[in-house]
């Protein structure tokens, strides 16, 4: 057995005290827990009758996060259709933009959560929202780094620029502080003034730092030269221009030149008289000890890492990052403290260990949304090595399936899951087949939607079962017409037979047909089952009779019996229907037809006689039956006589 | 497509309707109602798109629909129509007839007609407590939609592909006329009537086919057009410019249909003329002069141009409902988004 990566989390079931025995059943997303009937001898306690539902993923029930799921679903579907045939080079920008789309969705969601967290009055809710915000923040941070390192995979030079953007985006608190400072009456004397300037420098936002410094310089005309020198140092710092013609080596030479100049200024004590400017100068020269004194402003080790790279190794390559990252982490963190999950995830990312990132995220995060989507994106970028799982098909599909089955347990989001299953080539369909049958069908409209999903995927087994469910439900409500059309849609002959039977029964009781609008328009669907064919044809007979097309009606009636379409139990009714036709003044049944009719009657009566007369039948009913037969025989004999005479007469 | 505004609302939308505005004031619509479905707790919400002064108030997301009020609704909201806001709630809870889902409702002040999966037609009055009229077993299958043809006549479509006309004055149990597609019994899901020419009716069915019917003659559709690849959930003529029609479907698309007749006359003039001509002479359309027959009934697609355009950006989940008023269109999807289009080209 494999080792577990982390200790399992313990969830307490509130209603189950310690001396009770619990059983459980796995669901796709949830677990059902119930108390088992395990009685130690002597105890007379009656067991608890509740079943508890343990939800692993509470997030899908958050109304705001639902927007995340919906919007990302749209992006996901778009990503799957990015042409396979395109050369991989031209696909990269598309993948980067997909990644940015995902991130902007996270951001939008985060902002809304933040707003709600601020405005809510319930403190418990507010902390809950706050937690969700911090999770999303971490997700976005990781995603952004993955985008820079894996998806965009920028070459040396521009790599650092991307990392700077990454830091700036996630350390936007500087801008807030700067706004406070600038809005105060005398910004240069504000207590946070130097914090802002140094933060700007640490983030490499030198232009903004210079603008801030101008304000200070105006206050101190005496040290004007010193400020001027700093200004020129800041303005001269070279930045790599991606896409330009400048080779990396040339940039490196330029940068070294600038670095030496800063170093010279530091050595000759140009800023010795001003501690703030000296600090900035030390930062510019990349002095690690000085940087470490600014822990407060850096606040995280990865900020420290990027700042250190900026001022010491601006041409760092992605493959070298892990070395700096590791050392920054150890330098920055208190040796006694253990790194948080986020730290190890980011470290794994800097080590370009994609699988470790995904694994750590799966453990640390409480939902599958992030890992499923980023793994899918990375897989599209062809970055995942074939990684042998001991289960399922591959990592991407495994994670997507987990995420989608989580969605499917939701009363409303199940529709999204369908598209995710579609894009899991190996097991998606099986999952969908098993789950779709279990969607509760409250209304016909919902049933139609589920049916459409099944029909589009040629899941005929599921289509049949859904139609059957609907047919049975309508049947229970005595809506025979609806039930029949559902069973026709299900192509379920047995059910159609059953319903036709009900129709005929109704007819026998009431003497009229119900739901004529359906039966009259059956068309070829009539052939689904023998009984349904009979129902349709029998109704046709009534129609012909009503239209006084007696001859056609008679032929149809006879053929219903001779072709054995009509069930034997219904023959008596059919023969009784023939009675008025036999009694017409005009001859309708020909002699031959009458013979056949008589044959039918005999067959019927003989079969009735052979089966022992049921004793429980009241005598009266038997009598009625007998009279009916007598009447029929009489009518047939009369008709035969007239027919023979008529057929034998040559009309003149 | 910058005039389209999308908003994710965390509930699947089953219906969207504009609050009517009076045509005389040339007001633009600004309030619409939505109904949700398939939630544990479904809601009817009223939204304002704030075209006027209040734009300044919600800075940042101008034009984003804002919730005005919400009301819980037991069960999925399958249809809603607005008379005026005050009457809205009282009626919302009267739909369920015998726990069988009620599928559609239509009102023509003060009468309200509802139909349901139980194949029943029920008539209410807004100012009346009880039921005014019930037609039991009006249909053997589910009635999917209902619309008024004239003040006393209604049209229903059902799940076996029939279009039925009912005269409410006759109190009879059977429809005054049944129209149907020949034989295939493809369920029809929606119906709408031409706003000026009441004999022209459009329906949409399960196969995404758009049918235009002339209820004065024949009992099969006048023209059939392949519109969508899945169920068509709603069809609407533009209320003031009926040369335009809008349809939405399960396949996630929303189509704008536009017919233009060869005549150079502006369509509204032509529409008026049609009306008077037909009412005076009751001219049969076949063989008649093409130019006086509504573009929808000209049938011959080569002679009258029929143009369709997709109105939404790529969208994979079903568009359940749409409503159009003036230059404004609103639609709701299963992707839990509401789209508001402010400049539909009509």
């Amino acid at each position: 057995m494999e080792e577990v990566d982390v200790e399992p989390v313990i969830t307490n079931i509130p209603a189950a005290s310690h001396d009770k025995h619990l059983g459980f059943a796995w669901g796709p997303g949830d677990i059902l827990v119930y108390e088992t009937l395990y009685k130690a001898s002597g105890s007379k306690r009656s067991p608890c009758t509740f079943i508890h539902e343990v939800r692993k993923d509470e997030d899908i029930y958050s109304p705001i996060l639902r927007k995340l799921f919906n919007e990302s679903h749209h992006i996901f579907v778009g990503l799957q259709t990015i042409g396979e045939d395109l050369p991989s080079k031209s696909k990269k920008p598309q993948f980067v933009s997909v990644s940015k789309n995902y991130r902007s969705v996270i951001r939008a969601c985060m902002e809304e959560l933040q707003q709600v967290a601020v405005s809510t009055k319930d403190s418990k809710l507010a902390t809950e929202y706050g937690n969700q915000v911090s999770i999303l923040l971490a997700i976005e941070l990781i995603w952004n780094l993955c985008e820079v390192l894996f998806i965009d995979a920028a070459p040396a030079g521009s790599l650092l620029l991307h990392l700077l953007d990454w830091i700036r985006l996630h350390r936007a608190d500087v801008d807030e502080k700067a706004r406070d400072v600038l809005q105060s009456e005398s910004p240069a004397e504000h207590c946070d003034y130097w914090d802002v300037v140094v933060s700007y420098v640490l983030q490499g936002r030198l232009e903004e730092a210079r603008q801030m410094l101008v304000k200070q310089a105006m206050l101190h005309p005496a040290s004007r030269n010193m400020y001027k020198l700093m200004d020129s140092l800041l303005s001269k710092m070279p930045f790599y221009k991606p896409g330009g013609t400048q080779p990396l080596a040339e940039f490196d030479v330029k940068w070294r030149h600038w670095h030496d100049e800063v170093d010279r200024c530091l050595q000759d004590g140009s800023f010795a008289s001003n501690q703030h400017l000296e600090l900035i100068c030390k930062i510019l020269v990349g002095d690690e000890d000085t940087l470490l004194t600014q822990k407060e402003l850096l606040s995280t080790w990865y900020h420290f890492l990027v700042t250190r790279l900026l001022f010491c190794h601006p041409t760092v390559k992605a493959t070298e990052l892990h070395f700096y990252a590791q050392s920054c982490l150890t330098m920055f963190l208190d040796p006694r403290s253990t790194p948080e999950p986020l730290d190890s995830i980011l470290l794994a990312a800097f080590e370009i260990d994609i699988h470790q990132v995904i694994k750590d995220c799966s453990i640390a995060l409480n939902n599958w949304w992030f890992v499923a989507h980023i793994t899918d994106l990375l897989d599209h970028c062809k970055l995942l090595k074939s990684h042998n799982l001991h289960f399922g098909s591959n990592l991407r599909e495994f994670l997507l399936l987990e995420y989608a089955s989580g969605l499917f347990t939701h009363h409303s989001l199940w529709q999204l899951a369908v598209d995710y299953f579609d894009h899991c080539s190996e097991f998606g369909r099986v999952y969908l087949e098993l789950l779709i049958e279990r969607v509760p069908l409250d209304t016909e409209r919902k049933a139609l939607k589920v049916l459409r999903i099944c029909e589009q995927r040629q899941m005929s087994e599921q289509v049949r079962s859904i139609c059957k469910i609907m047919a049975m439900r309508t049947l229970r409500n005595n809506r025979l017409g609806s039930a029949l059309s559902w069973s026709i849609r299900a192509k379920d002959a047995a059910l159609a037979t059953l319903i036709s039977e009900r129709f005929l029964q109704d007819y026998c009781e009431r003497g009229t047909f119900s739901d004529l609008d359906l039966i009259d328009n059956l068309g070829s669907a009539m052939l689904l089952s023998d009984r349904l064919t009979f129902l349709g044809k029998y109704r046709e007979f009534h129609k012909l009779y009503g239209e006084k097309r007696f001859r056609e009606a008679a032929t149809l009636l006879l053929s219903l019996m001779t072709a054995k379409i009509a069930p034997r139990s219904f023959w008596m009714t059919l023969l009784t229907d023939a009675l008025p036709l036999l009694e017409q003044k005009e001859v309708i049944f020909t002699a031959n037809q009458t013979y056949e009719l008589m044959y039918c009657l005999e067959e019927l009566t003989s079969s009735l006689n052979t089966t022992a007369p049921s004793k429980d039948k009241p005598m009266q009913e038997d009598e009625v039956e007998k009279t009916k037969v007598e009447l029929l025989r009489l009518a047939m004999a009369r008709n035969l006589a007239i027919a023979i005479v008529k057929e034998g007469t040559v009309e003149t | 497509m910058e005039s389209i505004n999308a908003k994710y609302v965390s509930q699947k939308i089953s219906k969207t309707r504009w609050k009517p505005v009076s045509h005389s004031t040339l007001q633009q619509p600004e309030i619409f109602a939505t109904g949700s479905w398939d939630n544990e707790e479904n809601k009817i919400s009223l939204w304002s798109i704030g075209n006027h002064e209040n734009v300044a108030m919600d800075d940042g997301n101008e034009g984003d629909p804002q919730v005005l009020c919400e009301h819980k609704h037991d069960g999925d909201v399958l249809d809603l129509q607005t008379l005026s806001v005050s009457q809205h709630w009282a009626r919302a809870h009267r739909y369920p007839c015998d726990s069988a889902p009620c599928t559609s409702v239509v009102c023509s002040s003060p009468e309200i007609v509802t139909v349901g999966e139980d194949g029943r037609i029920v008539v209410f009055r807004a100012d009346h407590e009880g039921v005014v009229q019930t037609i039991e077993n009006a249909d053997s299958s589910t009635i999917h939609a209902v619309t008024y043809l004239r003040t006393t006549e209604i049209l229903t479509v059902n799940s076996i592909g029939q279009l039925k006309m009912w005269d409410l004055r006759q109190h009879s149990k059977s429809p005054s006329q049944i129209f149907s597609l020949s034989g295939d019994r493809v369920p029809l899901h929606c119906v709408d009537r031409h706003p000026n020419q009441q004999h022209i009716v459009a329906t949409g069915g399960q196969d995404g086919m758009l049918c235009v019917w002339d209820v004065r003659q024949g009992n099969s559709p006048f023209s059939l057009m392949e519109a969508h690849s899945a169920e068509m959930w709603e069809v609407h003529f533009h209320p003031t410019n009926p040369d335009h029609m809008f349809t939405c479907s399960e396949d996630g698309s929303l189509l704008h249909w536009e017919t233009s007749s060869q005549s150079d006359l502006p369509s509204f003039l032509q529409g008026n003329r049609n009306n008077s001509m037909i009412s005076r002479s009751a001219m049969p359309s076949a063989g008649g002069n093409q130019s006086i027959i509504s573009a929808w009934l000209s049938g011959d697609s080569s002679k009258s141009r029929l143009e369709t355009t997709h109105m939404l950006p790529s969208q994979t989940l079903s568009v359940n409902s749409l409503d159009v008023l003036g230059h404004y269109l609103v639609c709701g999807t299963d992707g839990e988004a509401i789209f508001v289009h402010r400049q539909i080209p009509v």
Side-chain angles (χ1 to χ4, degrees):
Chain A
M1 203 177 133
E2 265 202 285
E3 262 179 76
V4 270
D5 294 298
V6 279
E7 285 300 306
V9 189
I10 294 173
T11 310
N12 282 316
I13 312 295
S17 55
H18 64 279
D19 61 336
K20 289 182 183 170
H21 294 262
L22 291 177
F24 75 94
W26 290 102
D30 313 338
I31 299 173
L32 290 179
V33 179
Y34 52 89
E35 199 186 319
T36 52
L37 194 62
Y38 177 84
K39 272 193 186 158
S41 55
S43 81
K44 276 181 188 149
R45 197 169 34 82
S46 64
C48 160
T49 49
F50 291 112
I51 294 176
H52 302 276
E53 188 183 0
V54 182
R55 280 177 182 166
K56 185 170 157 287
D57 189 359
E58 264 295 301
D59 282 350
I60 57 170
Y61 294 92
S62 150
I64 296 168
L65 288 179
R66 265 174 86 165
K67 298 179 188 179
L68 175 71
F69 302 137
N70 273 301
E71 287 195 67
S72 54
H73 163 262
H74 195 207
I75 302 172
F76 172 84
V77 174
L79 172 62
Q80 311 305 314
T81 54
I82 287 183
E84 288 282 317
D85 46 334
L86 283 169
S88 57
K89 225 178 192 175
S90 63
K91 271 199 268 186
K92 197 167 110 178
Q94 289 196 47
F95 289 138
V96 174
S97 95
V98 166
S99 171
K100 286 195 170 130
N101 285 344
Y102 274 128
R103 284 201 293 121
S104 75
V105 173
I106 302 176
R107 287 238 143 215
C109 206
M110 201 157 65
E111 272 161 27
E112 193 176 345
L113 269 173
Q114 225 148 13
Q115 273 175 15
V116 181
V118 170
S119 62
T120 186
K121 288 189 178 66
D122 186 350
S123 66
K124 204 180 144 199
L125 262 180
T127 39
E128 197 180 301
Y129 287 134
N131 286 341
Q132 282 176 351
V133 170
S134 56
I135 289 170
L136 283 185
L137 209 60
I139 286 177
E140 212 265 338
L141 182 78
I142 300 167
W143 193 304
N144 197 349
L145 186 63
C146 291
E147 181 186 308
V148 170
L149 294 177
F150 307 146
I151 302 167
D152 205 3
S158 29
L159 175 66
L160 181 72
L161 298 178
H162 284 296
L163 286 175
L164 275 175
D165 284 338
W166 174 60
I167 282 296
R168 284 171 195 160
L169 189 63
H170 293 95
R171 293 302 315 281
D173 49 333
V174 182
D175 296 300
E176 241 167 79
K177 241 189 209 173
R179 213 176 306 134
D180 282 350
V181 169
L182 288 172
Q183 277 167 0
S184 69
E185 278 179 23
S186 55
E189 282 162 357
H190 194 279
C191 59
D192 284 337
Y193 173 82
W194 283 109
D195 277 358
V196 170
V197 177
V198 174
S199 299
Y200 275 148
V201 175
L202 289 174
Q203 291 190 7
R205 294 158 72 172
L206 303 184
E207 207 44 52
E208 282 148 296
R210 280 172 62 204
Q211 280 167 15
M212 289 294 268
L213 277 176
V214 171
K215 298 190 190 304
Q216 193 74 12
M218 290 199 295
L219 278 186
H220 304 282
S223 39
R224 227 178 102 198
N225 280 337
M226 200 161 40
Y227 281 101
K228 224 174 177 177
L229 180 61
M230 178 52 78
D231 192 56
S232 81
L233 283 183
L234 288 176
S235 66
K236 270 194 278 181
M237 178 172 179
F239 279 91
Y240 183 73
K241 285 182 195 61
T245 46
Q246 186 184 35
L248 197 61
E250 194 186 317
F251 165 74
D252 200 38
V253 169
K254 249 173 126 178
W255 185 81
R256 270 173 209 294
H257 194 72
W258 172 82
H259 192 259
D260 290 344
E261 192 183 338
V262 179
D263 204 30
R264 235 180 354 266
C265 292
L266 195 62
Q267 298 306 328
D268 61 20
S270 306
F271 302 110
S273 59
N274 186 325
Q275 46 150 344
H276 293 299
L277 291 186
E278 185 163 36
L279 172 71
I280 292 174
C281 190
K282 276 184 179 165
I283 293 173
L284 289 184
V285 88
D287 183 39
E288 276 165 14
D289 295 325
T290 317
L291 285 175
L292 281 173
T293 60
Q294 299 302 312
K295 268 190 192 178
E296 290 271 302
L297 291 179
L298 289 168
S299 82
T300 56
W301 64 271
Y302 42 90
H303 191 344
F304 172 53
L305 167 69
V306 175
T307 308
R308 189 175 151 205
L309 292 174
L310 173 66
F311 296 116
C312 302
H313 313 279
T315 56
V316 68
K317 289 192 208 100
T319 46
E320 300 161 353
L321 273 176
H322 69 98
F323 162 70
Y324 297 111
Q326 186 63 56
S327 71
C328 282
L329 183 64
T330 41
M331 275 156 83
F332 196 82
L333 287 187
D334 200 345
R336 274 161 301 171
S337 67
T338 49
E340 302 244 330
L342 180 61
D343 297 328
S344 41
I345 292 169
L346 292 177
L347 189 64
F350 281 121
E351 284 165 356
I352 319 286
D353 187 348
I354 298 178
H355 286 282
Q356 192 63 38
V357 173
I358 293 170
K359 186 175 164 186
D360 286 352
C361 288
S362 318
I363 294 168
L365 295 169
N366 59 345
N367 68 47
W368 292 107
W369 181 88
F370 171 69
V371 272
H373 284 92
I374 192 127
T375 310
D376 172 58
L377 182 57
L378 293 174
D379 189 62
H380 275 273
C381 301
K382 305 260 181 297
L383 287 169
L384 292 180
K385 291 170 216 93
S386 63
H387 186 74
N388 268 334
L389 287 181
H390 305 289
F391 40 84
S393 64
N394 62 44
L395 187 60
R396 168 185 172 272
E397 184 162 326
F398 171 74
L399 292 172
L400 282 178
L401 287 174
E402 281 298 307
Y403 171 65
S405 19
L407 282 185
F408 221 100
T409 60
H410 191 272
H411 52 85
S412 175
L413 293 173
W414 59 272
Q415 262 180 309
L416 300 182
V418 175
D419 283 313
Y420 286 95
F421 285 134
D422 278 351
H423 294 288
C424 293
S425 50
E426 200 161 339
F427 293 110
R429 191 181 163 97
V430 188
Y431 270 63
L432 185 60
E433 280 174 359
L434 287 174
L435 288 167
I436 198 99
E437 278 186 310
R438 288 162 176 77
V439 174
L441 305 170
D442 319 313
T443 62
E444 219 168 85
R445 160 123 15 163
K446 189 166 176 183
L448 288 173
K449 283 184 185 266
V450 176
L451 269 182
R452 170 62 60 179
I453 287 169
C454 296
E455 275 170 359
Q456 271 169 351
R457 289 157 186 80
Q458 275 97 40
M459 291 158 54
S460 48
E461 193 56 41
Q462 281 67 28
V463 169
R464 265 191 43 205
S465 102
I466 292 164
C467 291
K468 223 164 165 171
I469 292 170
M470 293 310 287
M472 285 315 283
R473 178 175 304 171
T474 45
L475 195 58
R476 236 184 349 251
N477 290 335
N478 251 334
R479 303 268 310 133
L480 292 184
S482 266
L484 186 57
S485 40
W486 277 114
S487 67
I488 289 171
R489 194 158 175 195
K491 297 204 172 54
D492 189 330
L495 197 56
T497 305
L498 183 81
I499 297 165
S500 315
E501 206 72 70
R502 284 275 296 272
F503 265 117
L504 294 172
Q505 216 176 326
D506 275 5
Y507 168 75
C508 291
E509 280 164 19
R510 280 188 269 157
T512 51
F513 280 105
S514 56
D515 303 318
L516 288 181
D517 49 354
L518 176 64
I519 301 173
D520 284 349
N521 292 295
L522 280 173
S524 60
M526 202 189 276
L527 303 174
L528 179 60
S529 97
D530 286 352
R531 204 52 49 84
L532 187 59
T533 318
F534 171 63
L535 176 67
K537 286 286 167 199
Y538 187 50
R539 163 64 192 153
E540 207 175 307
F541 160 74
H542 278 263
K543 222 155 85 183
L544 290 172
Y545 189 86
E547 289 164 7
K548 299 211 187 306
R549 290 155 70 184
F550 295 130
R551 234 172 261 282
E552 287 159 71
T555 318
L556 180 61
L557 187 71
L558 192 60
S559 69
L560 280 179
M561 282 184 283
T562 50
K564 312 256 184 259
I565 298 170
R568 188 59 67 86
S569 60
F570 216 78
W571 280 26
M572 193 43 107
T573 319
L574 291 182
L575 288 168
T576 322
D577 282 331
L579 206 52
L581 290 172
L582 292 167
E583 300 288 343
Q584 290 283 334
K585 270 191 196 128
E586 201 185 341
V587 180
I588 290 159
F589 286 103
T590 62
N592 275 337
Q593 281 177 325
T594 320
Y595 282 130
E596 281 182 70
L597 213 54
M598 290 163 101
Y599 175 74
C600 288
L601 181 64
E602 285 320 304
E603 207 174 85
L604 184 67
T605 45
S606 62
S607 71
L608 282 179
N609 288 341
T610 48
T611 53
S614 49
K615 276 171 193 147
D616 40 77
K617 244 187 187 175
M619 277 303 276
Q620 223 177 351
E621 207 168 292
D622 239 15
E623 284 300 309
V624 171
E625 205 76 347
K626 233 176 222 165
T627 332
K628 224 189 233 174
V629 174
E630 290 305 312
L631 266 174
L632 273 170
R633 284 203 177 121
L634 186 64
M636 280 177 201
R638 272 218 302 253
N639 188 68
L640 185 62
I642 303 170
I644 291 171
V645 170
K646 187 153 187 241
E647 278 159 35
T649 317
V650 183
E651 286 197 30
T652 48
Chain B
M1 293 220 179
E2 59 220 33
S3 49
I4 287 191
N5 223 304
K7 184 175 175 72
Y8 284 84
V9 292
S10 296
Q11 52 193 0
K12 290 195 277 193
I13 298 298
S14 59
K15 279 286 160 181
T16 53
R17 287 289 176 268
W18 289 108
K19 181 186 172 193
V21 291
S22 64
H23 297 302
S24 53
T25 55
L26 289 176
Q27 217 184 346
Q28 291 295 354
E30 59 171 315
I31 292 176
F32 65 90
T34 62
S36 70
W37 75 284
D38 209 13
N39 242 347
E40 273 169 335
E41 204 167 68
N42 290 297
K43 282 185 281 195
I44 296 178
S45 318
L46 282 181
W47 307 77
S48 161
I49 53 163
N51 295 309
H52 313 294
E53 303 80 43
N54 39 354
V55 172
M57 276 153 60
D58 43 326
D59 54 321
N61 44 351
E62 61 252 70
D64 226 20
Q66 303 288 318
V67 184
L68 285 181
C69 65
E70 293 181 328
H71 199 281
K72 278 176 204 153
H73 189 280
D74 306 331
D76 296 347
V77 181
L78 290 176
D79 198 356
L80 51 92
Q81 295 253 337
T82 337
L83 271 175
S84 71
V85 181
S86 63
Q87 274 164 330
H88 191 71
W89 310 132
R91 285 190 302 109
H93 292 278
R94 213 189 289 159
Y95 305 154
C97 28
D98 275 9
S99 78
C102 160
T103 52
S104 182
V105 53
V106 67
C107 50
S108 137
S109 182
E111 275 189 346
I112 300 157
V113 178
T114 67
V115 294
E117 279 183 23
D118 53 359
R120 194 181 291 182
I121 299 175
V122 185
V123 184
F124 296 100
R125 279 175 72 97
D127 50 359
H128 212 276
E129 264 297 302
V131 178
V132 175
Q133 187 184 348
T134 310
I135 305 179
E136 298 274 350
N137 283 325
D139 204 308
S140 61
S141 51
T142 301
I143 306 183
H144 280 137
V146 59
T147 189
Y148 268 99
L149 188 63
R150 277 173 276 272
T151 40
T152 56
E153 279 177 311
I154 56 167
L155 283 171
T156 60
V157 289
N158 67 8
S159 64
I160 50 173
Q162 291 165 338
L163 175 73
K164 296 185 178 178
M165 193 153 81
W166 303 82
D167 192 338
L168 293 177
R169 285 170 304 187
Q170 287 180 349
H171 293 273
S172 85
K173 288 199 73 180
S174 51
S176 46
Q177 211 174 343
I178 299 183
F179 308 88
S180 69
L181 283 170
S182 53
D184 14 349
R185 298 180 329 281
V186 178
L188 294 174
H189 289 299
C190 49
V191 57
D192 195 30
R193 184 207 66 192
H194 194 287
N196 315 335
Q197 290 160 291
Q198 301 182 330
H199 54 91
I200 302 177
V201 170
T203 62
Q206 177 159 279
D207 49 0
M209 209 69 115
L210 174 73
C211 304
V212 179
W213 312 68
D214 182 351
V215 294
R216 293 171 309 177
Q217 53 191 318
N219 51 5
S220 51
F222 202 91
S223 60
L224 276 167
M225 283 162 272
E226 217 164 291
H228 296 278
S229 59
E231 283 90 345
M232 186 192 292
W233 291 127
E234 273 192 31
V235 54
H236 282 283
F237 284 103
H238 191 281
T240 48
N241 196 348
D243 279 348
H244 297 260
M245 183 159 57
F246 299 87
T247 60
C248 66
S249 150
E250 176 76 22
D251 64 8
S253 56
L254 194 153
L255 287 178
H256 173 195
W257 302 72
E258 180 179 0
T259 61
S260 39
S261 358
Q262 306 94 340
S263 154
D264 294 322
L265 273 175
S267 58
F268 62 91
L269 279 180
Q270 207 190 0
N272 287 343
R273 199 159 56 113
N274 287 355
N275 254 1
S276 55
M277 281 294 278
I278 284 162
S279 59
R280 239 184 294 132
S281 58
M283 199 166 183
S285 65
N289 188 349
Q290 279 284 334
S291 71
I292 63 154
I293 292 151
S294 165
W296 293 112
L297 288 186
S298 57
D300 192 351
S301 53
S302 60
K303 277 185 188 163
S304 75
R305 282 188 303 124
L306 183 65
E307 282 181 10
T308 57
T309 33
H310 279 275
M311 297 284 291
L312 287 182
S314 72
Q315 159 79 33
T316 50
L317 288 171
S318 165
V319 183
N320 288 329
S321 179
L322 73 99
D323 198 20
V324 58
L325 194 59
H327 287 285
Y328 287 71
L329 180 142
V330 61
C331 65
T333 71
D334 272 349
E336 307 190 346
I338 300 174
F339 293 87
V340 178
H341 195 301
R342 285 144 194 282
Q343 275 159 10
I344 46 173
V346 292

